[in-house]
Amino acid sequence: QVQLVESGGGLVQPGGSLGLSCAASGSFFGINDMGWYRQAPGKQRELVAKITRGGNTNYADSVKGRFTISRDYAKNTVYLQMNSLKPEDTGVYYCNADVLRRSLTQYNYWGQGTQVTVSS
């Protein structure tokens, strides 16, 4: 069983910063891509940022220059540092990971989500 556990959401004023983290636990061989998605009320879930096993990153245009994704390979953890937050960044943020199980079959997993609210 593999679990992704997120932490770090909350309420922040516009222009403020928040950091999210997501740790993978369980029995697996390794982790390939890890990423963050978000879903605002009434909208579809969208990609925010992704980081490959090799450390390559890509970001949604709306967050480029403000958000930074990183990962700690030893801790099986992905981070999202969010700066200069805007009200439109509000939503539930979900961690996502492509996990190689010990059978070397890759499965995609989602975290439970953490609420980020940007409001004055």
Side-chain angles (χ1 to χ4, degrees):
Q1 187 74 1
V2 175
Q3 283 190 314
L4 301 180
V5 179
E6 299 132 338
S7 60
L11 172 65
V12 64
Q13 291 188 340
S17 298
L18 269 180
L20 305 181
S21 64
C22 169
S25 64
S27 178
F28 51 87
F29 182 78
I31 303 176
N32 288 327
D33 292 359
M34 301 188 82
W36 290 94
Y37 291 71
R38 69 185 178 193
Q39 188 165 19
K43 294 189 176 181
Q44 288 189 327
R45 193 174 297 188
E46 61 176 359
L47 174 68
V48 175
K50 180 175 280 192
I51 183 166
T52 68
R53 186 178 182 85
N56 294 317
T57 59
N58 67 286
Y59 297 90
D61 287 343
S62 59
V63 307
K64 282 180 182 176
R66 300 188 297 121
F67 290 11
T68 302
I69 189 170
S70 60
R71 64 192 286 180
D72 184 324
Y73 295 88
K75 295 181 179 179
N76 295 313
T77 299
V78 63
Y79 305 94
L80 186 68
Q81 179 62 38
M82 305 182 291
N83 299 327
S84 302
L85 281 160
K86 304 175 181 180
E88 51 264 43
D89 294 318
T90 294
V92 179
Y93 282 68
Y94 296 91
C95 175
N96 181 269
D98 289 327
V99 179
L100 272 176
R101 300 296 302 271
R102 294 198 178 276
S103 62
L104 298 185
T105 301
Q106 181 172 285
Y107 294 90
N108 186 262
Y109 292 91
W110 291 94
Q112 80 283 0
T114 185
Q115 178 70 43
V116 172
T117 303
V118 184
S119 175
S120 54

